[in-house]
Amino acid sequence: MKLDEIKKMDQDYLFQNYARQEICFDHGEGEILWDIEGRRYIDLVAGIAVNSLGYAHPAITKAVCEQAKRLIHVSNLYLVKEQAEAAQAIVSICPPPLEDVLFVNSGAEANEAALKLAAKHTGRTRVVSALNSFHGRTAAALSATGQTKYQNGFEPLLSSAFDFVDYGDAEQLKSAVTKDTAAIILEPIQGEGGVLPAGEEFFRTARDLCDDSGALFICDEVQTGLCRTGRFFGFQHYGVVPDIITLAKALANGFPIGACVASKEVATSFQPGSHGTTFGGNPLGTVVAKTVIETMKKERLDERARNLGGRWMQDLRSFANSSNGRIKEVRGKGFMIGLEMGDEAKMLQKCAFSNGILVNVCAGKVVRLIPPLILDESSIKAFNNTVENFLAQ
Ligand SMILES: Cc1ncc(COP(=O)(O)O)c(C=O)c1O
């Protein structure tokens, strides 16, 4: 099928709720994608921080094929061996007391579960979140999202149980938490908001406030989790452990899955009937999740992201320093890097595209690099050359 035909079918049969680029991919390997016309691209987007092991990773392909032949879905009415094994794998990379896992199907659902769990556990009614955050598109997750552009048109469906503070402002956080606060929910690095790290003091204050007030600290690790930032989890950069973390995106390298991880004490506030989902934790998704975690451990992808990502950021900072302010800032951690560029972000994206490199622009002005964690150094060099040439124009 030709690109024009696919475009027409998209318009004829699909909701037009995405601003799609006119390109259609056929297959991939490692960090390389090929489109239906045979063009090759270095993918520094990874399905928005999803394909951390790259495309067609042999361990993932094997896990999907073998499990699909045995059992794709079975109800949570029964014991599910693969689900228990995936939970054990997740707990093996979590610091105590994060030791119980609830599986869902997406990042928004993981946050939805975490927020319900915090309300049930504390018996309280309010949640503190950060401005400029992104937590997903379901009702509670969207309510927790501190960006009105996503909420406009959906009020009063969304509840007014959320209090927002400037991300990074510890003093505002102190004033926002009250005896009614069930939870503080934060991303360790705001992803959609423009690759903005929280800072240690902000996270430590959140932890202390929760300890003092009895609220629960929820870390949204949907984008930052699973080696993306050079640690298994983003919160590990700040020396604190949350009460609940939420995962999705990279967890099954593209197979839809999400998870909410909590201490046993908190997890027991959900009893049979409190929460659930038909597909959550199905054998196929959880076999893949277990394989992803085993592969990340075996290939030391946390270290790889930390070392290569750290060096890459240094290169990019040196370009920024001699860019006459065209690259205003380079920030992030590991393989989650943002180049703040203002109006030129989209131009650099276009220039990269014409050189066969895919990058994402978030918050309108930040070029975001969130590649497969297995990417080859030659792909990093290719992007660096593009930046150098772009700045020379
Ligand atoms: C930090 C964060 N939380 C939640 C979500 C929502 O995840 P999903 O799109 O799987 O519902 C996203 C998606 O970009 C995210 O970046």
Side-chain angles (χ1 to χ4, degrees), residues 206-239:
R207 179 67 275 172
D208 290 346
L209 286 168
C210 287
D211 288 341
D212 294 345
S213 68
L216 299 181
F217 185 15
I218 303 172
C219 255
D220 180 338
E221 294 275 359
V222 167
Q223 188 162 150
T224 49
L226 302 166
C227 303
R228 170 62 47 198
T229 69
R231 301 271 183 151
F232 273 106
F233 303 106
F235 68 78
Q236 291 171 318
H237 292 284
Y238 306 132

PDB file of all heavy atoms in Angstrom, residues 206-239:
ATOM      1  N   ALA A 206       9.386  16.696  49.632  1.00  0.00           N
ATOM      2  CA  ALA A 206       8.158  15.918  49.413  1.00  0.00           C
ATOM      3  C   ALA A 206       8.142  14.703  50.342  1.00  0.00           C
ATOM      4  O   ALA A 206       7.127  14.393  50.979  1.00  0.00           O
ATOM      5  CB  ALA A 206       8.065  15.480  47.954  1.00  0.00           C
ATOM      6  N   ARG A 207       9.274  14.025  50.416  1.00  0.00           N
ATOM      7  CA  ARG A 207       9.374  12.833  51.278  1.00  0.00           C
ATOM      8  C   ARG A 207       9.119  13.215  52.743  1.00  0.00           C
ATOM      9  O   ARG A 207       8.327  12.579  53.436  1.00  0.00           O
ATOM     10  CB  ARG A 207      10.761  12.199  51.097  1.00  0.00           C
ATOM     11  CG  ARG A 207      11.103  10.964  51.911  1.00  0.00           C
ATOM     12  CD  ARG A 207      10.296   9.734  51.557  1.00  0.00           C
ATOM     13  NE  ARG A 207       9.023   9.693  52.256  1.00  0.00           N
ATOM     14  CZ  ARG A 207       8.055   8.827  52.026  1.00  0.00           C
ATOM     15  NH1 ARG A 207       8.182   7.898  51.101  1.00  0.00           N
ATOM     16  NH2 ARG A 207       6.936   8.867  52.691  1.00  0.00           N
ATOM     17  N   ASP A 208       9.787  14.279  53.202  1.00  0.00           N
ATOM     18  CA  ASP A 208       9.641  14.702  54.610  1.00  0.00           C
ATOM     19  C   ASP A 208       8.204  15.100  54.900  1.00  0.00           C
ATOM     20  O   ASP A 208       7.652  14.751  55.955  1.00  0.00           O
ATOM     21  CB  ASP A 208      10.558  15.906  54.912  1.00  0.00           C
ATOM     22  CG  ASP A 208      12.030  15.497  54.915  1.00  0.00           C
ATOM     23  OD1 ASP A 208      12.301  14.270  54.949  1.00  0.00           O
ATOM     24  OD2 ASP A 208      12.892  16.392  54.854  1.00  0.00           O
ATOM     25  N   LEU A 209       7.592  15.846  53.974  1.00  0.00           N
ATOM     26  CA  LEU A 209       6.213  16.289  54.194  1.00  0.00           C
ATOM     27  C   LEU A 209       5.274  15.099  54.304  1.00  0.00           C
ATOM     28  O   LEU A 209       4.353  15.095  55.141  1.00  0.00           O
ATOM     29  CB  LEU A 209       5.753  17.207  53.046  1.00  0.00           C
ATOM     30  CG  LEU A 209       6.342  18.614  53.047  1.00  0.00           C
ATOM     31  CD1 LEU A 209       6.059  19.306  51.714  1.00  0.00           C
ATOM     32  CD2 LEU A 209       5.767  19.444  54.204  1.00  0.00           C
ATOM     33  N   CYS A 210       5.496  14.100  53.489  1.00  0.00           N
ATOM     34  CA  CYS A 210       4.649  12.900  53.545  1.00  0.00           C
ATOM     35  C   CYS A 210       4.871  12.180  54.868  1.00  0.00           C
ATOM     36  O   CYS A 210       3.914  11.750  55.522  1.00  0.00           O
ATOM     37  CB  CYS A 210       4.925  11.981  52.358  1.00  0.00           C
ATOM     38  SG  CYS A 210       4.271  12.646  50.823  1.00  0.00           S
ATOM     39  N   ASP A 211       6.138  12.070  55.296  1.00  0.00           N
ATOM     40  CA  ASP A 211       6.415  11.401  56.573  1.00  0.00           C
ATOM     41  C   ASP A 211       5.715  12.132  57.714  1.00  0.00           C
ATOM     42  O   ASP A 211       5.129  11.514  58.599  1.00  0.00           O
ATOM     43  CB  ASP A 211       7.930  11.369  56.840  1.00  0.00           C
ATOM     44  CG  ASP A 211       8.633  10.383  55.915  1.00  0.00           C
ATOM     45  OD1 ASP A 211       7.945   9.507  55.352  1.00  0.00           O
ATOM     46  OD2 ASP A 211       9.861  10.504  55.750  1.00  0.00           O
ATOM     47  N   ASP A 212       5.782  13.459  57.707  1.00  0.00           N
ATOM     48  CA  ASP A 212       5.223  14.240  58.809  1.00  0.00           C
ATOM     49  C   ASP A 212       3.700  14.252  58.803  1.00  0.00           C
ATOM     50  O   ASP A 212       3.073  14.290  59.860  1.00  0.00           O
ATOM     51  CB  ASP A 212       5.719  15.699  58.747  1.00  0.00           C
ATOM     52  CG  ASP A 212       7.221  15.764  58.988  1.00  0.00           C
ATOM     53  OD1 ASP A 212       7.783  14.751  59.463  1.00  0.00           O
ATOM     54  OD2 ASP A 212       7.827  16.807  58.673  1.00  0.00           O
ATOM     55  N   SER A 213       3.111  14.249  57.597  1.00  0.00           N
ATOM     56  CA  SER A 213       1.657  14.459  57.527  1.00  0.00           C
ATOM     57  C   SER A 213       0.865  13.168  57.358  1.00  0.00           C
ATOM     58  O   SER A 213      -0.354  13.168  57.471  1.00  0.00           O
ATOM     59  CB  SER A 213       1.329  15.376  56.337  1.00  0.00           C
ATOM     60  OG  SER A 213       1.620  14.687  55.136  1.00  0.00           O
ATOM     61  N   GLY A 214       1.552  12.072  57.029  1.00  0.00           N
ATOM     62  CA  GLY A 214       0.833  10.813  56.781  1.00  0.00           C
ATOM     63  C   GLY A 214       0.311  10.681  55.356  1.00  0.00           C
ATOM     64  O   GLY A 214      -0.392   9.728  55.030  1.00  0.00           O
ATOM     65  N   ALA A 215       0.664  11.640  54.501  1.00  0.00           N
ATOM     66  CA  ALA A 215       0.300  11.507  53.073  1.00  0.00           C
ATOM     67  C   ALA A 215       1.266  10.516  52.415  1.00  0.00           C
ATOM     68  O   ALA A 215       2.317  10.202  52.968  1.00  0.00           O
ATOM     69  CB  ALA A 215       0.399  12.865  52.386  1.00  0.00           C
ATOM     70  N   LEU A 216       0.907  10.026  51.232  1.00  0.00           N
ATOM     71  CA  LEU A 216       1.773   9.091  50.509  1.00  0.00           C
ATOM     72  C   LEU A 216       2.479   9.813  49.366  1.00  0.00           C
ATOM     73  O   LEU A 216       1.890  10.673  48.707  1.00  0.00           O
ATOM     74  CB  LEU A 216       0.954   7.921  49.946  1.00  0.00           C
ATOM     75  CG  LEU A 216       0.237   7.054  50.983  1.00  0.00           C
ATOM     76  CD1 LEU A 216      -0.517   5.918  50.292  1.00  0.00           C
ATOM     77  CD2 LEU A 216       1.215   6.478  51.996  1.00  0.00           C
ATOM     78  N   PHE A 217       3.730   9.436  49.152  1.00  0.00           N
ATOM     79  CA  PHE A 217       4.518  10.047  48.080  1.00  0.00           C
ATOM     80  C   PHE A 217       4.463   9.111  46.864  1.00  0.00           C
ATOM     81  O   PHE A 217       4.957   7.980  46.910  1.00  0.00           O
ATOM     82  CB  PHE A 217       5.954  10.249  48.559  1.00  0.00           C
ATOM     83  CG  PHE A 217       6.846  10.987  47.586  1.00  0.00           C
ATOM     84  CD1 PHE A 217       6.325  11.706  46.507  1.00  0.00           C
ATOM     85  CD2 PHE A 217       8.225  10.988  47.764  1.00  0.00           C
ATOM     86  CE1 PHE A 217       7.145  12.390  45.633  1.00  0.00           C
ATOM     87  CE2 PHE A 217       9.059  11.665  46.887  1.00  0.00           C
ATOM     88  CZ  PHE A 217       8.516  12.361  45.817  1.00  0.00           C
ATOM     89  N   ILE A 218       3.800   9.593  45.800  1.00  0.00           N
ATOM     90  CA  ILE A 218       3.695   8.813  44.555  1.00  0.00           C
ATOM     91  C   ILE A 218       4.699   9.368  43.546  1.00  0.00           C
ATOM     92  O   ILE A 218       4.674  10.555  43.230  1.00  0.00           O
ATOM     93  CB  ILE A 218       2.285   8.928  43.923  1.00  0.00           C
ATOM     94  CG1 ILE A 218       1.204   8.481  44.909  1.00  0.00           C
ATOM     95  CG2 ILE A 218       2.220   8.122  42.620  1.00  0.00           C
ATOM     96  CD1 ILE A 218      -0.223   8.764  44.412  1.00  0.00           C
ATOM     97  N   CYS A 219       5.579   8.512  43.041  1.00  0.00           N
ATOM     98  CA  CYS A 219       6.498   8.923  41.971  1.00  0.00           C
ATOM     99  C   CYS A 219       6.005   8.359  40.661  1.00  0.00           C
ATOM    100  O   CYS A 219       5.887   7.133  40.515  1.00  0.00           O
ATOM    101  CB  CYS A 219       7.887   8.362  42.227  1.00  0.00           C
ATOM    102  SG  CYS A 219       8.953   9.590  42.798  1.00  0.00           S
ATOM    103  N   ASP A 220       5.727   9.238  39.724  1.00  0.00           N
ATOM    104  CA  ASP A 220       5.315   8.805  38.395  1.00  0.00           C
ATOM    105  C   ASP A 220       6.586   8.504  37.593  1.00  0.00           C
ATOM    106  O   ASP A 220       7.261   9.411  37.099  1.00  0.00           O
ATOM    107  CB  ASP A 220       4.488   9.913  37.730  1.00  0.00           C
ATOM    108  CG  ASP A 220       4.021   9.536  36.332  1.00  0.00           C
ATOM    109  OD1 ASP A 220       4.647   8.649  35.718  1.00  0.00           O
ATOM    110  OD2 ASP A 220       3.046  10.132  35.841  1.00  0.00           O
ATOM    111  N   GLU A 221       6.903   7.224  37.510  1.00  0.00           N
ATOM    112  CA  GLU A 221       8.117   6.763  36.805  1.00  0.00           C
ATOM    113  C   GLU A 221       7.776   6.219  35.429  1.00  0.00           C
ATOM    114  O   GLU A 221       8.545   5.440  34.853  1.00  0.00           O
ATOM    115  CB  GLU A 221       8.820   5.675  37.635  1.00  0.00           C
ATOM    116  CG  GLU A 221       9.395   6.156  38.950  1.00  0.00           C
ATOM    117  CD  GLU A 221      10.801   6.756  38.815  1.00  0.00           C
ATOM    118  OE1 GLU A 221      11.335   6.773  37.689  1.00  0.00           O
ATOM    119  OE2 GLU A 221      11.346   7.218  39.829  1.00  0.00           O
ATOM    120  N   VAL A 222       6.606   6.623  34.911  1.00  0.00           N
ATOM    121  CA  VAL A 222       6.147   6.080  33.624  1.00  0.00           C
ATOM    122  C   VAL A 222       7.182   6.350  32.529  1.00  0.00           C
ATOM    123  O   VAL A 222       7.493   5.474  31.725  1.00  0.00           O
ATOM    124  CB  VAL A 222       4.756   6.648  33.271  1.00  0.00           C
ATOM    125  CG1 VAL A 222       4.382   6.379  31.824  1.00  0.00           C
ATOM    126  CG2 VAL A 222       3.706   6.079  34.215  1.00  0.00           C
ATOM    127  N   GLN A 223       7.738   7.557  32.518  1.00  0.00           N
ATOM    128  CA  GLN A 223       8.724   7.909  31.486  1.00  0.00           C
ATOM    129  C   GLN A 223      10.160   7.737  31.992  1.00  0.00           C
ATOM    130  O   GLN A 223      11.043   7.319  31.254  1.00  0.00           O
ATOM    131  CB  GLN A 223       8.490   9.355  31.015  1.00  0.00           C
ATOM    132  CG  GLN A 223       9.316   9.743  29.840  1.00  0.00           C
ATOM    133  CD  GLN A 223       8.799  10.983  29.095  1.00  0.00           C
ATOM    134  OE1 GLN A 223       9.570  11.709  28.513  1.00  0.00           O
ATOM    135  NE2 GLN A 223       7.518  11.225  29.080  1.00  0.00           N
ATOM    136  N   THR A 224      10.388   8.054  33.266  1.00  0.00           N
ATOM    137  CA  THR A 224      11.762   8.074  33.801  1.00  0.00           C
ATOM    138  C   THR A 224      12.237   6.700  34.265  1.00  0.00           C
ATOM    139  O   THR A 224      13.438   6.499  34.455  1.00  0.00           O
ATOM    140  CB  THR A 224      11.839   9.032  35.002  1.00  0.00           C
ATOM    141  OG1 THR A 224      10.749   8.725  35.886  1.00  0.00           O
ATOM    142  CG2 THR A 224      11.776  10.475  34.581  1.00  0.00           C
ATOM    143  N   GLY A 225      11.294   5.766  34.480  1.00  0.00           N
ATOM    144  CA  GLY A 225      11.637   4.480  35.084  1.00  0.00           C
ATOM    145  C   GLY A 225      12.383   3.557  34.136  1.00  0.00           C
ATOM    146  O   GLY A 225      12.488   3.796  32.931  1.00  0.00           O
ATOM    147  N   LEU A 226      12.945   2.485  34.704  1.00  0.00           N
ATOM    148  CA  LEU A 226      13.522   1.370  33.949  1.00  0.00           C
ATOM    149  C   LEU A 226      14.726   1.804  33.104  1.00  0.00           C
ATOM    150  O   LEU A 226      14.759   1.615  31.887  1.00  0.00           O
ATOM    151  CB  LEU A 226      12.429   0.696  33.104  1.00  0.00           C
ATOM    152  CG  LEU A 226      11.251   0.173  33.959  1.00  0.00           C
ATOM    153  CD1 LEU A 226      10.061  -0.179  33.109  1.00  0.00           C
ATOM    154  CD2 LEU A 226      11.689  -1.017  34.797  1.00  0.00           C
ATOM    155  N   CYS A 227      15.693   2.374  33.793  1.00  0.00           N
ATOM    156  CA  CYS A 227      17.037   2.700  33.258  1.00  0.00           C
ATOM    157  C   CYS A 227      17.101   3.956  32.394  1.00  0.00           C
ATOM    158  O   CYS A 227      18.207   4.385  32.026  1.00  0.00           O
ATOM    159  CB  CYS A 227      17.634   1.541  32.467  1.00  0.00           C
ATOM    160  SG  CYS A 227      17.759   0.027  33.413  1.00  0.00           S
ATOM    161  N   ARG A 228      15.972   4.534  32.063  1.00  0.00           N
ATOM    162  CA  ARG A 228      15.966   5.686  31.151  1.00  0.00           C
ATOM    163  C   ARG A 228      16.939   6.786  31.591  1.00  0.00           C
ATOM    164  O   ARG A 228      17.644   7.376  30.780  1.00  0.00           O
ATOM    165  CB  ARG A 228      14.513   6.223  31.066  1.00  0.00           C
ATOM    166  CG  ARG A 228      14.274   7.540  30.372  1.00  0.00           C
ATOM    167  CD  ARG A 228      14.621   7.600  28.938  1.00  0.00           C
ATOM    168  NE  ARG A 228      14.136   6.492  28.134  1.00  0.00           N
ATOM    169  CZ  ARG A 228      14.634   6.180  26.923  1.00  0.00           C
ATOM    170  NH1 ARG A 228      15.615   6.920  26.389  1.00  0.00           N
ATOM    171  NH2 ARG A 228      14.159   5.162  26.247  1.00  0.00           N
ATOM    172  N   THR A 229      16.963   7.086  32.896  1.00  0.00           N
ATOM    173  CA  THR A 229      17.765   8.232  33.362  1.00  0.00           C
ATOM    174  C   THR A 229      19.144   7.823  33.876  1.00  0.00           C
ATOM    175  O   THR A 229      19.836   8.628  34.491  1.00  0.00           O
ATOM    176  CB  THR A 229      17.033   9.001  34.488  1.00  0.00           C
ATOM    177  OG1 THR A 229      17.001   8.154  35.655  1.00  0.00           O
ATOM    178  CG2 THR A 229      15.625   9.387  34.086  1.00  0.00           C
ATOM    179  N   GLY A 230      19.514   6.545  33.656  1.00  0.00           N
ATOM    180  CA  GLY A 230      20.823   6.104  34.127  1.00  0.00           C
ATOM    181  C   GLY A 230      20.760   5.397  35.479  1.00  0.00           C
ATOM    182  O   GLY A 230      21.797   4.993  36.016  1.00  0.00           O
ATOM    183  N   ARG A 231      19.585   5.285  36.017  1.00  0.00           N
ATOM    184  CA  ARG A 231      19.318   4.483  37.219  1.00  0.00           C
ATOM    185  C   ARG A 231      18.082   3.660  36.902  1.00  0.00           C
ATOM    186  O   ARG A 231      17.320   4.029  36.008  1.00  0.00           O
ATOM    187  CB  ARG A 231      18.994   5.377  38.424  1.00  0.00           C
ATOM    188  CG  ARG A 231      20.085   6.336  38.776  1.00  0.00           C
ATOM    189  CD  ARG A 231      21.013   5.658  39.744  1.00  0.00           C
ATOM    190  NE  ARG A 231      22.037   6.569  40.178  1.00  0.00           N
ATOM    191  CZ  ARG A 231      22.611   6.483  41.363  1.00  0.00           C
ATOM    192  NH1 ARG A 231      22.221   5.565  42.211  1.00  0.00           N
ATOM    193  NH2 ARG A 231      23.560   7.294  41.702  1.00  0.00           N
ATOM    194  N   PHE A 232      17.839   2.616  37.705  1.00  0.00           N
ATOM    195  CA  PHE A 232      16.604   1.880  37.420  1.00  0.00           C
ATOM    196  C   PHE A 232      15.393   2.813  37.509  1.00  0.00           C
ATOM    197  O   PHE A 232      14.475   2.737  36.706  1.00  0.00           O
ATOM    198  CB  PHE A 232      16.448   0.672  38.351  1.00  0.00           C
ATOM    199  CG  PHE A 232      17.147  -0.545  37.800  1.00  0.00           C
ATOM    200  CD1 PHE A 232      18.335  -0.993  38.339  1.00  0.00           C
ATOM    201  CD2 PHE A 232      16.624  -1.205  36.693  1.00  0.00           C
ATOM    202  CE1 PHE A 232      18.991  -2.090  37.795  1.00  0.00           C
ATOM    203  CE2 PHE A 232      17.268  -2.303  36.142  1.00  0.00           C
ATOM    204  CZ  PHE A 232      18.454  -2.748  36.696  1.00  0.00           C
ATOM    205  N   PHE A 233      15.419   3.726  38.509  1.00  0.00           N
ATOM    206  CA  PHE A 233      14.294   4.657  38.665  1.00  0.00           C
ATOM    207  C   PHE A 233      14.818   6.079  38.845  1.00  0.00           C
ATOM    208  O   PHE A 233      15.877   6.288  39.426  1.00  0.00           O
ATOM    209  CB  PHE A 233      13.431   4.256  39.871  1.00  0.00           C
ATOM    210  CG  PHE A 233      12.925   2.854  39.756  1.00  0.00           C
ATOM    211  CD1 PHE A 233      13.472   1.849  40.532  1.00  0.00           C
ATOM    212  CD2 PHE A 233      11.934   2.528  38.840  1.00  0.00           C
ATOM    213  CE1 PHE A 233      13.035   0.532  40.395  1.00  0.00           C
ATOM    214  CE2 PHE A 233      11.491   1.221  38.698  1.00  0.00           C
ATOM    215  CZ  PHE A 233      12.042   0.223  39.479  1.00  0.00           C
ATOM    216  N   GLY A 234      14.021   7.036  38.408  1.00  0.00           N
ATOM    217  CA  GLY A 234      14.424   8.439  38.509  1.00  0.00           C
ATOM    218  C   GLY A 234      14.587   8.901  39.948  1.00  0.00           C
ATOM    219  O   GLY A 234      15.473   9.696  40.257  1.00  0.00           O
ATOM    220  N   PHE A 235      13.737   8.400  40.860  1.00  0.00           N
ATOM    221  CA  PHE A 235      13.805   8.875  42.255  1.00  0.00           C
ATOM    222  C   PHE A 235      15.160   8.548  42.881  1.00  0.00           C
ATOM    223  O   PHE A 235      15.564   9.174  43.849  1.00  0.00           O
ATOM    224  CB  PHE A 235      12.641   8.323  43.100  1.00  0.00           C
ATOM    225  CG  PHE A 235      12.671   6.836  43.346  1.00  0.00           C
ATOM    226  CD1 PHE A 235      13.521   6.289  44.299  1.00  0.00           C
ATOM    227  CD2 PHE A 235      11.830   5.981  42.645  1.00  0.00           C
ATOM    228  CE1 PHE A 235      13.550   4.919  44.536  1.00  0.00           C
ATOM    229  CE2 PHE A 235      11.847   4.608  42.871  1.00  0.00           C
ATOM    230  CZ  PHE A 235      12.720   4.077  43.810  1.00  0.00           C
ATOM    231  N   GLN A 236      15.882   7.552  42.318  1.00  0.00           N
ATOM    232  CA  GLN A 236      17.159   7.151  42.908  1.00  0.00           C
ATOM    233  C   GLN A 236      18.228   8.236  42.774  1.00  0.00           C
ATOM    234  O   GLN A 236      19.246   8.185  43.450  1.00  0.00           O
ATOM    235  CB  GLN A 236      17.624   5.823  42.295  1.00  0.00           C
ATOM    236  CG  GLN A 236      16.711   4.684  42.741  1.00  0.00           C
ATOM    237  CD  GLN A 236      16.966   3.368  42.020  1.00  0.00           C
ATOM    238  OE1 GLN A 236      17.166   3.338  40.819  1.00  0.00           O
ATOM    239  NE2 GLN A 236      16.959   2.266  42.764  1.00  0.00           N
ATOM    240  N   HIS A 237      17.985   9.238  41.932  1.00  0.00           N
ATOM    241  CA  HIS A 237      18.930  10.361  41.839  1.00  0.00           C
ATOM    242  C   HIS A 237      18.829  11.265  43.054  1.00  0.00           C
ATOM    243  O   HIS A 237      19.709  12.085  43.295  1.00  0.00           O
ATOM    244  CB  HIS A 237      18.636  11.213  40.591  1.00  0.00           C
ATOM    245  CG  HIS A 237      18.924  10.492  39.308  1.00  0.00           C
ATOM    246  ND1 HIS A 237      20.198  10.286  38.833  1.00  0.00           N
ATOM    247  CD2 HIS A 237      18.097   9.920  38.408  1.00  0.00           C
ATOM    248  CE1 HIS A 237      20.143   9.616  37.682  1.00  0.00           C
ATOM    249  NE2 HIS A 237      18.884   9.385  37.408  1.00  0.00           N
ATOM    250  N   TYR A 238      17.726  11.158  43.793  1.00  0.00           N
ATOM    251  CA  TYR A 238      17.466  12.156  44.836  1.00  0.00           C
ATOM    252  C   TYR A 238      17.561  11.588  46.253  1.00  0.00           C
ATOM    253  O   TYR A 238      17.217  12.278  47.215  1.00  0.00           O
ATOM    254  CB  TYR A 238      16.077  12.784  44.610  1.00  0.00           C
ATOM    255  CG  TYR A 238      15.884  13.356  43.216  1.00  0.00           C
ATOM    256  CD1 TYR A 238      14.746  13.071  42.467  1.00  0.00           C
ATOM    257  CD2 TYR A 238      16.845  14.196  42.647  1.00  0.00           C
ATOM    258  CE1 TYR A 238      14.555  13.597  41.195  1.00  0.00           C
ATOM    259  CE2 TYR A 238      16.666  14.721  41.371  1.00  0.00           C
ATOM    260  CZ  TYR A 238      15.531  14.421  40.650  1.00  0.00           C
ATOM    261  OH  TYR A 238      15.347  14.948  39.392  1.00  0.00           O
ATOM    262  N   GLY A 239      17.960  10.320  46.376  1.00  0.00           N
ATOM    263  CA  GLY A 239      18.192   9.751  47.707  1.00  0.00           C
ATOM    264  C   GLY A 239      16.947   9.588  48.560  1.00  0.00           C
ATOM    265  O   GLY A 239      17.040   9.647  49.793  1.00  0.00           O
TER     266      GLY A 239
END
